[in-house]
Amino acid sequence: MNFIQLVDRLSMECGEAGNGPLTVVGQTGMAGNLVNWINMAWTDIQSARQDWDFLRRFAYCTTVAGQPSYTPNGTVGFNLPDFGRWDIQTFRNFNTSIGVTSEIFMDYMDYQAWWNTYNFNATRNVQTRPIAFAIGANKAILLGPIPADGYTVTGQYFAVPSSLAADTDTPSMPSQFHMGVVYKAMMYYGLFHAATEVYDRGDAEFSKIMSRLAADHLPTASFAGTLA
């Protein structure tokens, strides 16, 4: 469902069919509340976890000789206006002129280990292919060794929660879970109107959908083998 369809469904579920707007833009009063509650619900679902699969995005940048630091959204680095957090298990690089046949994985290091390894003594001046990376305080990717020009660094990140704005905007999670947005919004409606029945039904159905969403769109837990 898109934004206006979600609002229409909320108005129907809450017994407010007469207040269902024809557009989400510029609404006030009850229609405005319905629009805002849908947006709040979608934000809540995205914010419930930082590692939803449907928030996963791809990123790449090309290294500059002598430049160890590459920010998520800056003049040197990646161009990621929706950046939230890195997936540290996904980073690799390849020689740009050769292509992906030269691709290697990079090891993650904590910041202090990176600093003590690649900002010490003669290693400060070494420029070659990076084999490791750390994350700086500003979420910059810090490469080690300091790269020579001509490597493409690729990885993945999780986007920050987004808002719905236009009538046709659609939540980025799969459509079978879109009713979760409506059920969460019903809880806002129930609190606003002290409508216990609406709140309780929204709460119960929202919990069911969130359980299914977590099973389908969160990383699978791994466990160590049986101890001898």
Side-chain angles (χ1 to χ4, degrees):
M1 287 182 282
N2 60 31
F3 195 2
I4 190 63
Q5 290 169 336
L6 289 166
V7 174
D8 287 343
R9 184 61 182 266
L10 174 63
S11 65
M12 183 186 72
E13 295 287 343
C14 295
E16 293 282 351
N19 287 313
L22 297 178
T23 179
V24 299
V25 179
Q27 295 299 330
T28 59
M30 179 51 62
N33 287 340
L34 295 173
V35 169
N36 291 335
W37 288 330
I38 286 293
N39 231 335
M40 291 167 61
W42 171 228
T43 300
D44 284 347
I45 291 173
Q46 295 172 88
S47 301
R49 290 288 299 250
Q50 293 183 313
D51 54 351
W52 291 120
D53 279 349
F54 56 81
L55 294 179
R56 185 181 293 276
R57 307 287 186 270
F58 296 91
Y60 70 92
C61 76
T62 302
T63 61
V64 176
Q67 175 72 41
S69 178
Y70 298 84
T71 59
N73 194 15
T75 55
V76 177
F78 302 87
N79 182 22
L80 311 173
D82 61 348
F83 175 81
R85 60 187 288 270
W86 295 113
D87 182 348
I88 62 173
Q89 301 181 68
T90 62
F91 277 81
R92 58 199 74 184
N93 73 68
F94 59 87
N95 186 303
T96 306
S97 62
I98 296 175
V100 295
T101 57
S102 64
E103 192 167 32
I104 64 169
F105 288 103
M106 291 192 294
D107 294 325
Y108 171 74
M109 307 174 68
D110 69 62
Y111 174 80
Q112 197 62 51
W114 175 86
W115 178 260
N116 290 337
T117 301
Y118 295 109
N119 282 274
F120 179 75
N121 208 310
T123 58
R124 294 174 182 269
N125 300 317
V126 173
Q127 293 186 22
T128 185
R129 182 173 195 163
I131 60 173
F133 73 98
I135 297 175
N138 61 351
K139 304 300 182 182
I141 296 296
L142 307 173
L143 300 177
I146 297 172
D149 203 359
Y151 293 96
T152 298
V153 176
T154 67
Q156 298 178 24
Y157 69 99
F158 296 97
V160 293
S162 61
S163 296
L164 303 171
D167 290 347
T168 55
D169 285 355
T170 304
S172 58
M173 65 181 177
S175 59
Q176 64 265 35
F177 301 109
H178 284 184
M179 277 301 295
V181 179
V182 175
Y183 291 134
K184 180 64 177 180
M186 287 171 63
M187 297 166 66
Y188 286 119
Y189 178 95
L191 288 172
F192 184 83
H193 289 284
T196 304
E197 182 180 345
V198 173
Y199 180 93
D200 288 347
R201 189 162 68 87
D203 185 26
E205 296 301 325
F206 179 69
S207 295
K208 293 176 186 176
I209 284 189
M210 288 298 285
S211 293
R212 296 198 299 270
L213 184 63
D216 283 358
H217 291 279
L218 288 178
T220 302
S222 59
F223 300 93
T226 303
L227 296 177

